[in-house]
Amino acid sequence: MSSFTVALTVIGVLVPMAAILQVVAAVPMSVVALRHRTRALVTAAMAATLVGFVAAGTQTAITVASAALLGGLVGRAKRKKQGLAGVMVTSMVVGPALGALMVLVLLVLVPLRELFLGVLRNTLEGVSRLLERISAPQGAADALRTGSTAVLDNWWWWVGGSIAFGIVTGTLFAWLILTAILDRLYTIPTPESLVSSADEENIEPLPVTLTSVGYRYSGSNTAALTGVDLHIEPGEFVAIVGHNGSGKSTLTRILAGTEPTEGTVSRPGAPGLGRYGGTAVVLQRPESQILGTRVADDVVWGLPPGDTRPDVDALLDEVGLGGMGARDTASLSGGEMQRLAVAAALARTPALLIADEATAMIDAAGREHLVSVLAELPRRHGMSVVLVTHHVAETVAADRVVHLQGGFQVHHDSSWMNPRTENPIALHDNSSPRLLELTGIEHTYNRRTPWAQTALNGIDITVKRGEGVLVLGGNGSGKSTLAWIMAGLTGPTKGTALLGGKAMTGRVGEVGLAFQHSRLQLQRRTVSEDIAAAAGPETGSATVSAAMDAVGLDRSLAARDIDSLSGGQMRRVVLAGLIARRPSVLVLDEPLSGLDPPGRDEIIAVLAGLRERGVAIVVISHDVDGLDTVCSRTITMADGHIVSDSILGSVHS
C-alpha cells in the first residue's frame, strides 16, 4: 500500500492532467488504517514518505505524507466506528498540534527558517510583479506586498494556522470522498492471519499435546476440526493426509499457535512463530512468503540483528537452489519459490517446522530431494517436521501418519492415496484442424538489462482441435512462460503465436488458462460469483451449478468466501470458471497440484470429457500420474528448449 501511494503521487506530480491521482493516493493509506493498528499506519507512512522523497523530491514527499495523514485519519475513524463528528474532532487536535510542531522546527532550525521565508518572500514578490504587468486592478500589487509583509512579520501564526486549517478542511473532504469506498471495503472479510504470541520470552513449542481440539471459523455453520487428539515429541517426522477441505491446514494453524475454539493445546512454552528456535511454517502459496528482491536476501529477511547468521549458501544447497543467491526472486518458478520458502524457514533453526503442501509445485526429482531433506531434519537437528501431503511416497519416511476426514481424525488407510489406473488412453486424431500454432518463439525477461534471462528459445508447437498435450520439464525449464504465451497474456520476444490462424494479440480470454497458483486467479468474494465472472456476462445459476458439478465441488460451497477454501478447492473453482466459459483451448499450469487422490481422478475425468467434446487440452506439469488418460502427446522441455515431442498411444475412433 505504501508503494501504491507513492506511485499514484509521483504520477500525479509529474504527469499533466493527472493531479486527481494525488487525491486518490489517500485511499491505500486509509485501507491500511482500516485494516491494521495505528503503528502499522505510521510505519507505512514513514516508508512511503522516504521513498517519495528519493523518487521525486521534497514536494512529492510532502504530498505523500499529507495523503497518509488524511487517509489515516479517515481509515482509523472508520475502524473505530466513529462518525464525521469524531473524525473532525480528531483533526482539530492533530491539525493545531502539527502546526505548532512545524513552527517549533522553524524556530530551532534558523537556516531552514530563513530559506523558507526567503522562498516565500520571492514568490509573493514575483506574483506582485506579474499583477503589475497584466494590468490587474489598481492597488492589487501593493495590497499583496503589504499583506505579504504582515505574513512574514508574523510567520508563526501563518504557518501554524494554515497547517491546522488545511488538515481540518482536508479531513472533511477526505471523509466525503473516502467514506463510501471504505464502507464497501469494510464488508469484505479479511483472511485470518497467523499471529505470533506477544509473550514469547520462553519459546518452547515442543512437546505439544492437542486434547479434543476443535475449530470453527467465524461465520461458518460447521466446524473445520472436531475432537482431534495429537501428541508430537521433539525429533519426530509426522505426515498429515486427508481429502481437500478435511481440516489439514486448520490443524497446522493450531500447531503454529492459533487458539482452538474447543479443546486444549499444551506445550512447555510459546510456539515462537518465526522466531529462532520456535515454529516455522511453509504455506501452500510460497509467493505470499517471499519478501526479498534477491534469493539470498529473502533467506535472511526478518531475522533479528546479531551474531547468529545462517550460512545462506549452505541452506540454498540443501534445498536445491545452490548458486542462485543473486537471482531475482521474481524470476523464480513456482517450485523454486517453494524451495526458497523452505530455506528461509530453516534459517530460523526452528524446533518445529510445518510444511503445508511444500512439495506441491516441485518436479518429481525435486520433490524427492526436498522430502529427503525434511525427513533428515529430525535426525540431524533434533527438530520435528510436520508435512501435509497428498503423495503416498512422501508418507513412507514419516514416523506416523495423521489422517483427517471431514474434520475428524480417522484410522489411516493409504489405499485412498493410490491413483486410479483404469482410464483408457485419450483420443488423438491427426486429421483434426490446427487451433494453436507457435512458431520460432523466444522470450527473455528483463531484456536489454544486465539482469536479462532467457526463458524460451526456438519453440515450435502446434495444437489441434481435441488434442491432449502434456508439457513436461523441471522447475525453471520455461513451462509457465510457455503457458502465458499460449494464453496471450505475454507477448513473445520473437516469433509468432496464432489462434485459429490469427495473431493472439488483443485476444486475451479466448484461450482458457489456469494459473499455477490458483488464488491469484480468483477475483470475486464467493465461489459462485467467481465462477459466474469467469464464465462471462449473463451467466445464470444453472451454468454455475453445472460447472461446480463437473469439477466435483459441492453446491453448498457456492456462497462460501474464496479465502475460506483449501488450496485444492480453489483449484477446482478456477477450473469450474474456465469450463463454464467453454474455450476451444484450455491451458492448465499444474492442474493437479494440491488435489487429493480422489480429486485428481475427478479432474482427470473432467479433462478427458472436455477432449471428447473437441476442446484442446494443454497440461503443463511435472506431476504425470494419471495424465496419460488425458494427454496422448508429450513435449519435454529443458532450459527453454524442446528436447522431445512424441505421441503416446494409438488413434481411436
Side-chain angles (χ1 to χ4, degrees):
M1 289 299 180
S2 295
S3 301
F4 194 17
T5 296
V6 173
L8 291 171
T9 304
V10 170
I11 294 173
V13 170
L14 300 180
V15 178
M17 308 301 292
I20 187 63
L21 292 179
Q22 297 183 46
V23 178
V24 180
V27 174
M29 286 301 177
S30 66
V31 173
V32 173
L34 177 70
R35 294 291 195 183
H36 303 281
R37 289 177 291 181
T38 303
R39 67 182 185 183
L41 171 67
V42 172
T43 304
M46 292 176 63
T49 302
L50 291 173
V51 173
F53 175 76
V54 173
T58 304
Q59 180 60 45
T60 299
I62 293 174
T63 305
V64 169
S66 300
L69 176 62
L70 299 179
L73 288 174
V74 174
R76 183 176 180 276
K78 281 292 184 181
R79 177 163 57 87
K80 292 182 174 294
K81 296 182 172 57
Q82 298 174 345
L84 177 59
V87 73
M88 292 308 298
V89 169
T90 303
S91 70
M92 291 176 186
V93 174
V94 173
L98 288 179
L101 178 62
M102 179 58 69
V103 170
L104 179 62
V105 169
L106 293 176
L107 283 172
V108 174
L109 302 178
V110 177
L112 178 62
R113 182 177 77 241
E114 292 176 349
L115 175 62
F116 172 75
L117 295 179
V119 170
L120 180 60
R121 183 182 295 107
N122 293 336
T123 301
L124 294 174
E125 178 60 27
V127 173
S128 299
R129 293 180 180 180
L130 179 63
L131 292 175
E132 291 175 342
R133 290 188 178 183
I134 63 175
S135 301
Q138 188 174 6
D142 293 336
L144 181 59
R145 287 191 177 96
T146 302
S148 64
T149 300
V151 168
L152 293 171
D153 289 341
N154 302 277
W155 62 269
W156 51 87
W157 291 110
W158 178 78
V159 170
S162 61
I163 291 176
F165 179 76
I167 289 176
V168 172
T169 56
T171 301
L172 174 61
F173 284 110
W175 175 272
L176 297 175
I177 294 172
L178 299 179
T179 185
I181 299 173
L182 295 181
D183 284 342
R184 182 171 181 180
L185 291 174
Y186 197 76
T187 63
I188 301 175
T190 303
E192 183 182 356
S193 301
L194 286 170
V195 179
S196 183
S197 173
D199 182 17
E200 294 191 342
E201 291 80 7
N202 178 30
I203 296 176
E204 196 172 354
L206 295 177
V208 59
T209 302
L210 279 64
T211 305
S212 300
V213 161
Y215 193 86
R216 185 188 301 270
Y217 288 95
S218 176
S220 175
N221 295 324
T222 58
L225 283 179
T226 303
V228 174
D229 296 308
L230 179 63
H231 180 76
I232 299 177
E233 287 284 346
E236 283 195 282
F237 182 27
V238 179
I240 300 178
V241 301
H243 293 290
N244 295 125
S246 61
K248 303 187 301 297
S249 294
T250 303
L251 178 57
T252 61
R253 295 173 69 90
I254 291 175
L255 290 174
T258 298
E259 291 294 327
T261 54
E262 61 182 54
T264 60
V265 178
S266 302
R267 60 182 108 216
L273 182 63
R275 307 292 183 87
Y276 276 122
T279 302
V281 179
V282 180
L283 301 174
Q284 289 178 326
R285 300 189 293 274
E287 73 280 0
S288 66
Q289 292 184 259
I290 293 178
L291 299 172
T293 56
R294 295 189 314 142
V295 169
D297 296 337
D298 188 76
V299 173
V300 298
W301 186 280
L303 290 178
D307 297 331
T308 305
R309 305 300 288 175
D311 186 337
V312 174
D313 292 335
L315 287 175
L316 293 177
D317 285 337
E318 193 169 10
V319 299
L321 295 178
M324 297 176 61
R327 277 273 300 274
D328 187 343
T329 54
S331 69
L332 299 180
S333 67
E336 289 167 339
M337 286 184 180
Q338 283 202 331
R339 299 187 195 195
L340 177 56
V342 172
L346 294 179
R348 275 80 180 160
T349 59
L352 175 61
L353 174 62
I354 301 172
D356 191 353
E357 295 285 355
T359 63
M361 294 295 177
I362 304 178
D363 55 49
R367 182 188 308 144
E368 182 179 352
H369 175 263
L370 187 54
V371 171
S372 68
V373 169
L374 295 175
E376 284 292 311
L377 292 177
R379 182 182 63 82
R380 290 167 45 204
H381 301 290
M383 68 176 65
S384 290
V385 175
V386 175
L387 174 65
V388 176
T389 182
H390 290 134
H391 296 279
V392 65
E394 297 177 12
T395 66
V396 173
D399 297 319
R400 54 200 169 95
V401 179
V402 177
H403 196 143
L404 298 178
Q405 182 175 327
F408 293 88
Q409 189 174 355
V410 299
H411 173 71
H412 175 57
D413 180 3
S414 62
S415 62
W416 76 280
M417 302 178 73
N418 297 323
R420 184 176 58 187
T421 58
E422 297 85 12
N423 289 335
I425 292 293
L427 302 177
H428 177 74
D429 187 354
N430 286 326
S431 64
S432 299
R434 296 182 176 185
L435 278 179
L436 188 61
E437 298 177 82
L438 274 61
T439 306
I441 294 295
E442 298 181 12
H443 192 73
T444 302
Y445 289 103
N446 300 318
R447 191 162 55 110
R448 297 171 182 167
T449 73
W451 305 276
Q453 181 182 359
T454 300
L456 296 176
N457 193 0
I459 301 296
D460 296 303
I461 296 177
T462 298
V463 180
K464 298 181 179 180
R465 181 180 181 275
E467 187 176 11
V469 180
L470 174 61
V471 181
L472 302 176
N475 294 121
S477 60
K479 303 188 305 296
S480 294
T481 302
L482 178 63
W484 282 60
I485 290 176
M486 284 182 166
L489 295 178
T490 296
T493 306
K494 291 183 181 179
T496 58
L498 305 178
L499 177 63
K502 299 180 180 178
M504 288 290 298
T505 306
R507 303 175 66 187
V508 175
E510 295 189 27
V511 172
L513 173 64
F515 292 175
Q516 192 175 63
H517 303 298
S518 300
R519 184 62 186 91
L520 303 180
Q521 197 164 355
L522 300 172
Q523 302 297 318
R524 297 295 189 271
R525 189 174 67 86
T526 66
V527 170
S528 60
E529 290 172 349
D530 201 280
I531 294 174
E538 301 181 4
T539 298
S541 58
T543 301
V544 172
S545 298
M548 293 181 67
D549 292 342
V551 298
L553 273 174
D554 193 313
R555 293 189 182 186
S556 64
L557 297 177
R560 281 274 295 273
D561 290 334
I562 291 295
D563 284 308
S564 70
L565 303 179
S566 69
Q569 290 170 326
M570 289 182 184
R571 192 166 297 280
R572 296 192 194 201
V573 174
V574 170
L575 290 175
L578 294 175
I579 289 171
R581 194 176 183 89
R582 299 178 180 176
S584 59
V585 182
L586 198 55
V587 179
L588 309 173
D589 195 353
E590 303 291 355
L592 304 182
S593 175
L595 294 176
D596 54 48
R600 291 167 61 93
D601 288 343
E602 291 175 2
I603 297 302
I604 287 171
V606 169
L607 298 180
L610 291 173
R611 280 202 59 194
E612 292 177 357
R613 296 199 292 271
V615 178
I617 305 290
V618 179
V619 177
I620 296 177
S621 182
H622 55 250
D623 190 354
V624 300
D625 291 342
L627 287 176
D628 56 347
T629 65
V630 175
C631 303
S632 53
R633 175 182 166 200
T634 300
I635 294 174
T636 304
M637 299 184 63
D639 298 325
H641 296 81
I642 294 178
V643 296
S644 69
D645 187 345
S646 58
I647 300 297
L648 300 178
S650 57
V651 177
H652 297 268
S653 59

